[in-house]
Amino acid sequence: NLKKRSEEERHAVVKFANTVLVVKFLDILDNLEAAQKNLNDQGLELVIKKFKDTLDSEGVNEISTQGEVFDPVKHEGIATVEGKKNGEIAQVLQKGYELDGKVIRPARVRVTTAATVKE
């Protein structure tokens, strides 16, 4: 039992260290994607694709926001904007990511609020 518990603790420490490192790399990916929006360079696009493929192979996935309803577990609401329905994601300000199904960085989003009619 001691050997099994020691192995589990070692695995947990390695997993935590990997998560910290991945979160730091996500900031670099954000910067590369921002540069790509301005430069529209094929070489940079290949680097970004390789970067994303590597993260994907390690179990890191982008949190879906397209057409989603605000979920406080996966999304961090930064601001609200007027919309047709309450709680829909209007705009993504920063992409969010999961590692093996656990949120390591929530997506920062603007959320819609329905306009109220004043009499």
Side-chain angles (χ1 to χ4, degrees):
N1 284 340
L2 178 62
K3 185 176 180 181
K4 183 179 176 183
R5 188 174 30 200
S6 298
E7 185 65 27
E8 288 173 356
E9 288 176 1
R10 187 182 69 74
H11 181 69
V13 167
V14 168
K15 185 109 172 144
F16 177 74
N18 287 344
T19 301
V20 170
L21 184 61
V22 165
V23 170
K24 289 180 181 180
F25 281 140
L26 292 176
D27 289 335
I28 296 169
L29 179 59
D30 289 342
N31 291 333
L32 289 172
E33 289 177 331
Q36 178 60 7
K37 283 182 183 178
N38 292 324
L39 299 174
N40 197 21
D41 182 70
Q42 274 187 318
L44 184 54
E45 186 65 36
L46 291 173
V47 170
I48 292 170
K49 183 181 180 337
K50 178 67 175 170
F51 203 129
K52 287 182 174 183
D53 289 345
T54 302
L55 289 174
D56 187 48
S57 72
E58 295 300 319
V60 178
N61 298 307
E62 189 177 318
I63 293 174
S64 175
T65 54
Q66 185 69 22
E68 295 281 323
V69 175
F70 178 77
D71 178 356
V73 173
K74 295 181 178 182
H75 309 118
E76 180 180 348
I78 300 298
T80 58
V81 295
E82 196 172 297
K84 294 180 181 179
K85 292 183 179 179
N86 279 328
E88 291 182 337
I89 295 175
Q91 180 184 14
V92 178
L93 303 173
Q94 183 182 47
K95 293 179 182 178
Y97 292 89
E98 297 175 318
L99 175 61
D100 297 329
K102 293 184 180 181
V103 176
I104 57 173
R105 184 175 87 180
R108 291 179 167 201
V109 297
R110 286 192 175 128
V111 183
T112 60
T113 56
T116 57
V117 178
K118 294 182 183 180
E119 294 184 30

